[in-house]
Amino acid sequence: MQPEFDKPYFELLTDYVRHEYQTNRCYPPAGLIFNAFDSCPFDKVRVVILGQDPYHEPDQAHGLCFSVNEGVQIPPSLQNIYKEIHRDLGLPIPTSGNLQRWANQGVLLLNATLTVRAHQAGSHQGKGWEELTDAAIAALNREREHIVFMLWGSYAQRKGQFIDRHRHLVLQTSHPSPLSVYRGFEGCGHFSKANKYLQSNGLEPIQW
């Protein structure tokens, strides 16, 4: 990713984000903006789950898509993810919405946009984050093999449309939000499919 940090757009993005954090309440906390990358080094990535935007209400976002801090009510989309894991693998539904344990196992929980202004969904879109996260996905696609990409919803599918299906496993379905969970996400079996693919390529399965 280092070449991206040296490009003009990233300097503009950095200036914009710094100003936003100085003048508005923004999420996640500044020290956790790159939590997805910090928690899941490049050579450890086994699964990529793409989100769109950080949560924009207090105490929710901590730099991992779909994940919330301990003690925070589990959002509807994550509730549906947990229900599908239970249906697919028979695992009990967790009481915590913190997905740090997934990230620690090699699940890159990457939002397309890494920051947001409080109470304003999508407020930091189109400022350069998408270019950075596209570059991250492209690097994984190009330099790694046998990664599982979970693309839920049309936005994630567009963002991952260039992924090489011969080198990686791409799993696509509807978004797990209450509005679209019944259009394919429910019953998709992505979590067992991911683990079977990883094991068939000599990799450890994820403890979902």
Side-chain angles (χ1 to χ4, degrees), residues 30-81:
L32 294 175
I33 291 173
F34 292 102
N35 191 24
F37 296 117
D38 293 340
S39 299
C40 191
F42 186 84
D43 61 344
K44 303 294 185 186
V45 176
R46 287 184 281 161
V47 177
V48 177
I49 298 177
L50 291 181
Q52 188 166 352
D53 219 27
Y55 295 118
H56 52 80
E57 296 302 327
D59 302 320
Q60 291 182 309
H62 64 115
L64 306 177
C65 73
F66 293 105
S67 182
V68 291
N69 282 302
E70 297 289 345
V72 175
Q73 183 176 358
I74 298 174
S77 291
L78 183 53
Q79 289 180 23
N80 288 329
I81 291 170

Side-chain angles (χ1 to χ4, degrees), residues 1-15:
M1 297 300 294
Q2 187 58 49
E4 298 302 308
F5 301 147
D6 298 329
K7 291 181 179 179
Y9 86 85
F10 189 77
E11 183 177 352
L12 293 173
L13 172 63
T14 301
D15 290 343

Side-chain angles (χ1 to χ4, degrees), residues 14-204:
T14 301
D15 290 343
Y16 171 79
V17 171
R18 185 180 295 116
H19 181 263
E20 279 287 288
Y21 272 73
Q22 289 171 346
T23 57
N24 297 282
R25 184 176 295 278
C26 296
Y27 302 117
L32 294 175
I33 291 173
F34 292 102
N35 191 24
F37 296 117
D38 293 340
S39 299
C40 191
F42 186 84
D43 61 344
K44 303 294 185 186
V45 176
R46 287 184 281 161
V47 177
V48 177
I49 298 177
L50 291 181
Q52 188 166 352
D53 219 27
Y55 295 118
H56 52 80
E57 296 302 327
D59 302 320
Q60 291 182 309
H62 64 115
L64 306 177
C65 73
F66 293 105
S67 182
V68 291
N69 282 302
E70 297 289 345
V72 175
Q73 183 176 358
I74 298 174
S77 291
L78 183 53
Q79 289 180 23
N80 288 329
I81 291 170
Y82 281 167
K83 288 176 184 176
E84 177 56 22
I85 292 172
H86 174 69
R87 189 210 63 80
D88 188 18
L89 298 170
L91 297 175
I93 293 177
T95 56
S96 168
N98 190 326
L99 302 180
Q100 187 69 48
R101 59 191 177 83
W102 291 5
N104 295 343
Q105 296 180 72
V107 181
L108 181 63
L109 295 162
L110 185 63
N111 276 315
T113 303
L114 299 188
T115 57
V116 68
R117 193 183 294 181
H119 317 302
Q120 297 183 40
S123 49
H124 288 183
Q125 291 178 4
K127 305 299 183 181
W129 281 130
E130 295 89 345
E131 189 168 347
L132 179 72
T133 52
D134 280 349
I137 297 165
L140 288 166
N141 175 62
R142 182 178 63 248
E143 299 176 27
R144 295 285 312 283
E145 290 186 335
H146 308 314
I147 290 175
V148 180
F149 289 86
M150 294 184 175
L151 307 180
W152 300 333
S154 58
Y155 184 90
Q157 289 161 21
R158 287 195 302 273
K159 195 170 179 68
Q161 62 187 354
F162 62 84
I163 296 166
D164 185 344
R165 269 68 169 170
H166 298 292
R167 292 166 62 91
H168 307 284
L169 177 64
V170 177
L171 300 173
Q172 297 190 168
T173 190
S174 66
H175 195 277
S177 74
L179 293 175
S180 57
V181 66
Y182 300 113
R183 298 179 193 160
F185 186 87
E186 187 177 68
C188 67
H190 279 188
F191 304 94
S192 61
K193 291 174 183 176
N195 279 353
K196 287 176 184 174
Y197 177 82
L198 292 171
Q199 289 177 299
S200 71
N201 287 286
L203 300 169
E204 286 289 317

